[in-house]
Amino acid sequence: MTLAVVLSVMWLVVLWRLPGLWGTPQRRIGTIVLLAVTASATTLHLDIRPVVDRFFGVPDLTILLGHVLALVTITTTLELAALVTNADRSRRSPLRRSQIALSVAMVCLCVLFPVLPRRFEQPDFGTSRGDDIRVFAYLTIFQVCLAIGMVTGRSFLGRHWRSARPGPLRTAMKLLWLGSTLVLGYVLGRSWAILTQGFGLHTPADDVILVTARYLLQASLLLAGVSGLIPLVHRLRRLARRQADYQRLRGLWTTLTTAAPATVLRPPPHPLVTLLSIRSTELLLYRRAVEIRDAQVELAGRVPPELRDMTKTALPEGDELALDACVLLVALELDHDQATISDSDVVSWSSAVDLDGEVASLMALASRMRDPVVTGVAAQVRSWGRP
């Protein structure tokens, strides 16, 4: 995978998350992290570096910007990790020490940069002048701070993603933990190159190590971009599940509301409108569940008490779900002159506390209404109830 592809993915994530700058502190810091890491990664592109350097008239300016932005990324990532995990004061202490060390390192890099041997004709002083003591000191400071930040972040994220509940936060933290591990591999490879250049050493493994380090860095950047997409993926999956639940309840809703049309709050929109109603999908699903429950209560109230008692006697004791399903089947086949208005005791079997639980309960009800045992009992009760 080329760096251009990785950068494209990362900038798309940044554009999607950009409104988060005006959101909650957690979203704001998360957006800053993505923006900083993407801008830092962009400075790695060899076609972008000379354009920026020539524009500002400063040789290798993009290298300094990339390094400073990388340290800013680590600093803000540590802050974000402490925020989303509600870390207490004792757990924040190592993060704060690392942030202070990174801030001091940024100052050192900015101080050293003007005295480095830099020329437009020889871009990337780390490659062309790696034997200079000033270049060696500059690169060593950056790699040491990068390692400190990755070790701290990896340790912190490793403790928390294992204990976090399954969900988008845990997945994002796991990807960041894996990305920090890959960056440590990059640091080892880059440090080897700095040492060999600084001391004028050359080994057959140099090229392999450099290529491996480059791919490790690109993979870690891709993981950082993907981790930023986790909330979007979670929302899309939730939306798809709500759309599927809405369609799965269609049969039960049609059956019950046809017999009790007064329970329909308003006619459902066209299926295409429903599919495109991203913001109102959950409201439509909630309304459908309410209408089903209202129709269930109304229909159960039409069943005479003696028929309900017959139904209860014919079914296994304690199976409230089967009882409600059977009562509904009896109610759907009642003649208008047989129907009565009485108090009913329904949905006593449902223990749902949220919309997902309610959908599951209604799907279980629909399934029991198709159960051969329940339909057989309902047919017997209807035959007994006929004059």
Side-chain angles (χ1 to χ4, degrees):
M1 182 176 294
T2 64
L3 180 60
V5 175
V6 175
L7 291 176
S8 299
V9 174
M10 296 180 70
W11 277 113
L12 286 174
V13 176
V14 169
L15 291 176
W16 171 68
R17 291 293 300 270
L18 203 57
L21 289 173
W22 295 271
T24 62
Q26 181 175 326
R27 289 180 59 84
R28 182 164 55 251
I29 296 177
T31 304
I32 293 174
V33 169
L34 286 172
L35 183 60
V37 70
T38 305
S40 176
T42 304
T43 63
L44 298 174
H45 202 289
L46 298 180
D47 293 333
I48 295 177
R49 282 185 174 182
V51 176
V52 176
D53 294 343
R54 293 285 183 180
F55 179 81
F56 288 99
V58 180
D60 291 335
L61 176 63
T62 50
I63 296 179
L64 175 64
L65 292 176
H67 290 167
V68 171
L69 287 171
L71 298 182
V72 169
T73 299
I74 298 172
T75 303
T76 51
T77 300
L78 296 177
E79 185 66 27
L80 178 63
L83 186 63
V84 299
T85 57
N86 294 318
D88 54 25
R89 186 172 182 177
S90 62
R91 292 182 177 181
R92 285 177 180 261
S93 296
L95 301 183
R96 291 285 181 250
R97 289 194 291 268
S98 297
Q99 289 174 326
I100 293 173
L102 294 173
S103 299
V104 172
M106 282 188 278
V107 174
C108 293
L109 295 182
C110 293
V111 171
L112 280 173
F113 184 75
V115 300
L116 297 178
R118 298 172 291 108
R119 299 173 59 184
F120 282 117
E121 295 77 14
Q122 293 180 326
D124 192 349
F125 56 83
T127 302
S128 60
R129 297 298 304 274
D131 57 341
D132 190 287
I133 185 62
R134 294 165 296 180
V135 174
F136 182 83
Y138 176 98
L139 296 177
T140 301
I141 290 174
F142 175 71
Q143 295 301 327
V144 168
C145 290
L146 192 60
I148 291 174
M150 291 300 103
V151 169
T152 304
R154 186 178 182 277
S155 175
F156 189 85
L157 291 170
R159 288 197 306 269
H160 285 84
W161 77 258
R162 292 185 179 91
S163 59
R165 294 183 302 175
L169 176 60
R170 179 177 180 177
T171 304
M173 292 175 66
K174 188 175 182 179
L175 290 178
L176 289 174
W177 175 85
L178 181 58
S180 63
T181 304
L182 296 181
V183 173
L184 285 176
Y186 162 78
V187 169
L188 291 176
R190 193 71 183 93
S191 298
W192 173 264
I194 293 171
L195 289 173
T196 54
Q197 289 180 352
F199 291 97
L201 303 175
H202 298 285
T203 66
D206 289 349
D207 293 337
V208 176
I209 292 175
L210 283 177
V211 171
T212 303
R214 186 180 305 115
Y215 280 114
L216 287 176
L217 180 60
Q218 293 183 15
S220 65
L221 293 174
L222 183 61
L223 287 175
V226 172
S227 68
L229 282 174
I230 293 299
L232 175 61
V233 174
H234 177 72
R235 292 179 187 178
L236 291 177
R237 188 175 67 177
R238 182 182 179 88
L239 174 63
R241 188 174 69 250
R242 292 291 189 233
Q243 289 279 1
D245 290 341
Y246 184 81
Q247 298 301 328
R248 289 167 62 199
L249 290 178
R250 181 184 182 88
L252 180 62
W253 177 87
T254 302
T255 300
L256 299 187
T257 57
T258 300
T263 59
V264 179
L265 301 176
R266 72 174 61 172
H270 189 276
L272 182 59
V273 176
T274 303
L275 183 63
L276 298 177
S277 300
I278 297 177
R279 294 181 177 273
S280 59
T281 299
E282 189 157 343
L283 176 61
L284 292 173
L285 178 60
Y286 182 80
R287 183 194 301 165
R288 174 157 288 184
V290 169
E291 291 172 348
I292 291 174
R293 286 302 191 193
D294 289 345
Q296 181 184 1
V297 172
E298 180 177 327
L299 292 172
R302 298 178 184 178
V303 179
E306 58 272 15
L307 293 185
R308 190 179 302 118
D309 292 339
M310 293 179 187
T311 304
K312 190 171 185 179
T313 303
L315 290 170
E317 185 177 355
D319 193 346
E320 299 293 339
L321 175 57
L323 175 60
D324 286 343
C326 196
V327 167
L328 283 175
L329 290 174
V330 172
L332 291 171
E333 296 297 329
L334 283 176
D335 295 332
H336 185 71
D337 55 354
Q338 288 183 280
T340 62
I341 302 299
S342 63
D343 295 332
S344 61
D345 181 18
V346 296
V347 303
S348 56
W349 51 268
S350 176
S351 58
V353 296
D354 55 17
L355 185 55
D356 289 332
E358 184 67 6
V359 170
S361 297
L362 293 176
M363 291 306 302
L365 176 63
S367 177
R368 294 307 293 272
M369 290 177 67
R370 297 188 297 269
D371 190 313
V373 175
V374 174
T375 56
V377 171
Q380 291 180 4
V381 171
R382 287 195 296 268
S383 65
W384 293 339
R386 290 193 181 96

